[in-house]
Amino acid sequence: MIGLDSLEKNKKGLVDKAGVNKIKKGFKGGFTLFTRKKTAYKIFVVIAYLGVITTNALANIIPIGGVTTGEVSDSYPNFFAPAGFTFGIWAVIYLLLGAYVLYQFGLFRRQLINERIFQEIAPYFIISSLANILWIFAWHNFKIAVSLFLMIAILLSLIKIQYILKRFKLYSRDKLFIRAPFSIYFGWITVATIANITTYLVSINWSGFGLSDVTWTVIILIVGLMIGSLTIFLNKDLVYGGVIIWAYFGILFKHTSPYDFGGKYVPIILTVILSIIILSMVMAYIGKKLRAFFVILILLVVVSTVFISFRTYKAMDEAVKAKESPNVTVQDRTIVFNPEDEAIANLVFYQGGLVQPQAYAVLGQMLSEQGVRVFIPRMPLNLSILNASSFDKIHGEYEDGNDWYIGGHSLGGATASIYAKNNSENIEGIFFLGAYPSDRSDLSGFEIDVLSINASLDSIIDRDKYEQTKSLLPQHTVYVEIEGGNHSNFGYYGLQKGDEKSTITRKEQHKVVSEKISEMIE
């Protein structure tokens, strides 16, 4: 032991055995006490970790309160919640936290690290775990206010852990087994806290000071972007940034998926895309690798395109067959249905969100048989809102002196209203199929013909919004409701998720639509 040799001999060179034994006994006792304390907090960390894993598993197996975590979330619908697949990150979080728990006992280690780091992290890890467990019970019992308080407790615990980590020198393995688990956890809880706040506001029916849900979602997204960017910059934590981007991609996919929002809320989609780009740039700057930014951006674009393509509703065989008819041509990414005789009018049709344009080929063929030349342009990513002005190009190339009409299904109808608002001089009329005008498109004072066709079993359209936006249409608007029809039957692409099954055939619904549009044109 340090210094014992000098204590074992006095000035006369004699050994003071009693004194030495007393000192040795004191060192031994103190070391034993220290070892027990060090082992104790590690055991508590293990218990806390196992408690979190068990509770979260039982939450969905039993489930606690008779509902799953996702079902509670679905009870408070909002525009900020990401797609379900993004929650798979919890498996990564718990796996890495498990690795951290083992790492504190020396497993996987090569370099020596100051053991005090584990001792300082322990109380905050335990607090976050207890809050996590209690959050599950609060959430599953619809105690949203309590769950928000507990979520903030988790967030503050992780912020403190981040502060602790900055004070210690970490080697490569330490960064993998200590920093990475808490960076991912911290990143996801940052987003989860914002989502929990949003859910709480929905639960109390907050009015939002008169601002729309879309506007507030855009504001929340920007706030999340600012918090994420600042944290990445201050902590120089690329792992944290990757988690924020992952969450924002989940929001993007949910808003562009035909199974969820179907591209209806364009301001949200554009804000998310811009946020992802900015977050990627911040990460590239911190990592001092501009090339990495472009690689990340390209990968994100490719993954998004593939994912959206995979989620797009495909045209049914009847529609594919109609598109392949002799009178159909495809020019400049536009499907053209030419009437047998001279055309009496021209009509531009905008597809529904994330639905293939050829899914509307049957309707295009039926209208062409009535003497109408029909154009169905192919939209970027099958989202008509991304090219609302495609009418202009078609009108410029095919102008023949006949009247022009525009309209569409679902998102396509809203997109058509945006174009008509600023270009009414080019069109004679507009029609909506299972759709309503955009909030920005007040057509109430316009003299053009307007036709709105709805279906009684349409479960996709927002009924409240449909009624509210009637004030944006002229008083002479013709309203038609197809009894027994649904949202999906306006095209040939199968049954859309969330839509009710119709009691009439697609052909019967298409016949009504074709007749009413023909009447408007005549």
Side-chain angles (χ1 to χ4, degrees), residues 30-88:
F31 180 76
T32 302
L33 178 62
F34 174 75
T35 303
R36 286 175 181 173
K37 288 177 64 178
K38 184 171 67 172
T39 305
Y41 75 72
K42 290 182 178 180
I43 291 175
F44 280 121
V45 166
V46 173
I47 294 172
Y49 172 74
L50 294 177
V52 169
I53 294 295
T54 304
T55 305
N56 279 269
L58 294 177
N60 294 290
I61 295 174
I62 295 180
I64 294 174
V67 291
T68 64
T69 307
E71 288 172 343
V72 178
S73 180
D74 293 339
S75 301
Y76 303 97
N78 62 78
F79 297 148
F80 185 80
F85 72 87
T86 56
F87 291 92

Side-chain angles (χ1 to χ4, degrees), residues 55-56 59-60 64 68-70 72-73 87 90 94 127-154 185 188-189 192-193 195-197 199:
T55 305
N56 279 269
N60 294 290
I64 294 174
T68 64
T69 307
V72 178
S73 180
F87 291 92
W90 277 115
Y94 290 140
I127 291 172
S128 67
S129 299
L130 289 175
N132 190 319
I133 293 170
L134 293 173
W135 182 92
I136 288 291
F137 286 96
W139 184 258
H140 280 246
N141 286 281
F142 296 90
K143 305 295 183 182
I144 306 303
V146 177
S147 74
L148 177 57
F149 172 79
L150 293 167
M151 183 64 74
I152 292 174
I154 300 173
Y185 197 6
W188 188 250
I189 291 298
T193 302
N196 211 148
I197 293 172
T199 301

